Amino acid sequence: MTTKQKPELLAPAGNLEKLKFAIHYGADAVYIGGRQFGLRSKAGNFTFDEMAEGVEFANQYGAKVYVATNIIAHNENLDGAHEYFKKLYEVGISAVIAADPALIDACREAAPDLEVHISTQASVTNWKTAEFWKNEGLPRVVLAREVSVEEIKEIKENVDIEIEAFIHGAMCISYSGRCVLSNHMTSRDANRGGCAQSCRWKYDLFEDGTDGTVDISDENDEKYTMSSQDLSMVEHLPDLIEAGVDSLKIEGRMKSIHYVATVVNVYRKIIDAYFEDPEGFELNSEWVDEIWKAAQRNLSTAFYYGEPTHKDQLYGRPERLPKYDFAGLVLDYDPETQFATIQQRNNFGVGDEVEFFGPNFKRFKQTIVELYDETGEPIERAKHAMMITKVKIDHPVHYLDMMRKQK
C-alpha cells in the first residue's frame, strides 16, 4: 500500500471566474497571471484587486493561489519587478512561478517570504539541476515536459525537493517552450508572453523544383501543422503519484470554465479514488469518457513513457471529436417546485437531452420538457446569450452545477 502523501491538484485560472470554478470543482491550488511578467498576455490576466478577491475565495476552500512570472526578461522588462513582487506578497499570493534568475532575485529582495517555484521554462530535466535550485533555496521545481516517469523517480530519489509536473493539456512542439517561430513570423516574442502559436497554423506542403517551389499538397488533403497532440495522463495517474510527484498540474489558462471544471472534476475523482484504496484501484472508463466531453485535441502521454513518435503529432482529422457544448450554468434550485434557475451559455430548448454535472463527479441526464423565461413565460428555446431561464429538473442540482448538451 502506498505511503505517499496525496499530491496537490493544480489548475489553471485565466480569470477570476475560472479561478472560482477550478477551486469549486476540486483544485487544491490554481495558477494565474498578472498584468506583468507572464507568458499568457492574451489571457484575462488579473489586477491586484482581482488577485485579492481570488485569494480570499481560495482561503475559504483551503486552496492556494500561485502567480506565473515566467517570462525570459530583457533589460526593458525588469522595470517595476521589485514593486510587483512586493504587491503580490501583500495580496496573499502563496508562490510565484519564475524562470529568469533576475526575476527570482528581484522577488527574494522585495518579498523574501514569498515562495518561488522554478518554471518549466527553465527546462529542469535531471536531478543535478533540481539539486542546484534546491541549494538556491527554491522549494519546488516545475519539470520540463520532456521528462519521463523513470527520470522523475530518479530526481526524487536524489533530491529532497517538491516536484510539479504537467498531467493534462497543450504541449509545445519546441523544447520546453523555447521557440522562435512566433518571433520570426509575427514579431511576437513567445518567451515574453506574445506567442502567436505559429506551430498550430495550417500549412501546405512544398518541395523545391527546377522551376521554383512546387506545392505538392492535394487540395482534398488536411493541412499540415507543426503541432503535437495534447497531454493526458488520465489513464496513468498512479504512475506519477508513485514516482513522487507532489503537484499534478493541468495546463489551460486560455480554456473555458467548462473545460476547467470538467478536467479538474475528473482528476480530483481519480486522485481521491486512488488514495481510498491504492491496492484495489481500478480505472473507471467513465472518467476517461468524461475527459472527452471537454473541447480539446487528440491526446497522448507525450514523453512520460519514452520519446514521442509521429503518432503523437497532430495532423489529419481528429480521431475523436468533443461531444458536448456547455449549455447552461445553475444559479439556483427550488426543491419544492423542482425548477432550476439556469443562465444560458449555449442555445438549448424543449426536447433536448441534456446532462447536468457538478463537483464530486455527480451527473445525470434528462430531456427538457418545461422551459420558461425570467418572467415566467413558457418558451421553446433559450436563444439569447446569458439569458436567465427556469427549467424543470428531474433531480436536485446546486449552485454552479453545469448543464451540457450533446452536439
Side-chain angles (χ1 to χ4, degrees):
M1 181 176 293
T2 183
T3 58
K4 302 288 185 183
Q5 183 176 352
K6 186 180 289 190
E8 171 185 85
L9 179 58
L10 177 57
N15 57 35
L16 190 56
E17 182 183 41
K18 294 174 187 178
L19 178 150
K20 293 179 179 179
F21 274 86
I23 293 172
H24 181 70
Y25 275 76
D28 299 303
V30 294
Y31 62 100
I32 67 175
R35 298 296 172 90
Q36 294 173 270
F37 308 112
L39 283 181
R40 289 291 183 268
S41 62
K42 299 298 182 182
N45 292 318
F46 286 62
T47 65
F48 289 124
D49 287 342
E50 289 170 333
M51 288 183 190
E53 184 177 343
V55 168
E56 182 180 3
F57 181 87
N59 287 341
Q60 296 172 18
Y61 287 78
K64 296 180 178 180
V65 180
Y66 307 142
V67 173
T69 57
N70 52 348
I71 66 167
I72 304 302
H74 289 233
N75 292 330
E76 64 268 23
N77 301 126
L78 297 176
D79 292 343
H82 285 74
E83 294 81 1
Y84 186 74
F85 288 117
K86 182 178 179 182
K87 188 64 177 178
L88 293 183
Y89 179 71
E90 290 172 352
V91 300
I93 297 302
S94 294
V96 296
I97 306 166
D100 194 310
L103 294 180
I104 293 172
D105 280 349
C107 181
R108 286 169 152 178
E109 292 166 4
D113 292 327
L114 180 58
E115 273 193 16
V116 180
H117 300 167
I118 194 69
S119 170
T120 189
Q121 299 299 121
S123 300
V124 177
T125 57
N126 63 78
W127 72 265
K128 290 295 289 184
T129 301
E131 185 179 58
F132 169 84
W133 290 114
K134 169 73 174 180
N135 292 338
E136 286 293 307
L138 274 64
R140 179 185 295 191
V141 294
V142 187
L143 293 181
R145 303 187 199 194
E146 295 78 19
V147 175
S148 70
V149 172
E150 290 303 313
E151 288 172 318
I152 293 173
K153 291 178 182 178
E154 187 174 355
I155 292 170
K156 289 295 289 187
E157 287 169 358
N158 284 279
V159 189
D160 181 19
I161 192 170
E162 289 183 7
I163 294 294
E164 184 177 308
F166 284 92
I167 57 171
H168 199 92
M171 296 284 289
C172 184
I173 198 65
S174 295
Y175 206 95
S176 287
R178 296 183 176 189
C179 177
V180 293
L181 277 177
S182 177
N183 303 55
H184 177 70
M185 294 181 174
T186 69
S187 296
R188 287 168 50 180
D189 192 339
N191 290 297
R192 285 193 282 175
C195 183
Q197 298 194 342
S198 305
C199 61
R200 298 198 187 278
W201 297 355
K202 298 295 182 72
Y203 296 91
D204 288 317
L205 185 64
F206 293 82
E207 70 175 358
D208 289 335
T210 57
D211 57 348
T213 303
V214 179
D215 185 351
I216 60 173
S217 300
D218 188 286
E219 63 179 13
N220 296 318
D221 284 347
E222 279 289 300
K223 300 295 184 182
Y224 294 87
T225 72
M226 293 178 278
S227 184
S228 64
Q229 294 182 357
D230 282 5
L231 169 67
S232 176
M233 289 295 283
V234 70
E235 298 183 55
H236 307 278
L237 206 60
D239 289 350
L240 290 179
I241 295 171
E242 289 301 321
V245 175
D246 301 280
S247 179
L248 301 166
K249 186 172 190 174
I250 299 165
E251 184 276 338
R253 279 192 283 149
M254 302 288 284
K255 298 290 190 179
S256 68
I257 60 170
H258 175 247
Y259 177 94
V260 171
T262 300
V263 176
V264 168
N265 211 9
V266 171
Y267 282 104
R268 176 79 276 153
K269 184 66 176 179
I270 295 173
I271 294 169
D272 292 346
Y274 179 75
F275 276 86
E276 285 176 6
D277 185 9
E279 298 297 325
F281 174 83
E282 292 184 3
L283 184 72
N284 189 325
S285 62
E286 290 185 350
W287 304 337
V288 180
D289 292 341
E290 186 77 2
I291 281 291
W292 287 100
K293 294 176 183 177
Q296 57 201 344
R297 308 171 186 94
N298 289 348
L299 302 174
S300 80
T301 55
F303 290 82
Y304 280 125
Y305 300 103
E307 293 292 320
T309 69
H310 67 281
K311 294 180 180 179
D312 301 292
Q313 193 76 8
L314 195 66
Y315 63 90
R317 298 191 182 278
E319 296 175 10
R320 301 178 69 172
L321 294 173
K323 298 178 181 179
Y324 288 80
D325 280 330
F326 174 31
L329 179 65
V330 175
L331 301 181
D332 195 14
Y333 174 72
D334 186 340
E336 293 186 5
T337 64
Q338 294 184 296
F339 272 92
T341 303
I342 295 177
Q343 182 186 69
Q344 188 259 35
R345 293 300 180 99
N346 265 299
N347 190 311
F348 68 90
V350 174
D352 289 348
E353 184 181 69
V354 295
E355 180 181 46
F356 287 89
F357 76 100
N360 302 315
F361 212 72
K362 63 177 188 292
R363 304 174 302 159
F364 68 90
K365 293 181 179 180
Q366 73 164 72
T367 299
I368 295 178
V369 295
E370 293 186 57
L371 177 62
Y372 301 87
D373 66 15
E374 193 171 10
T375 67
E377 289 295 317
I379 56 176
E380 288 296 311
R381 302 206 66 78
K383 299 178 180 179
H384 307 297
M386 308 293 280
M387 70 181 294
I388 304 300
T389 66
K390 301 286 186 179
V391 181
K392 188 68 175 289
I393 304 297
D394 292 347
H395 303 281
V397 289
H398 300 89
Y399 176 62
L400 297 186
D401 284 358
M402 293 186 178
M403 183 179 78
R404 300 186 180 115
K405 185 182 70 171
Q406 191 165 6
K407 289 188 176 181

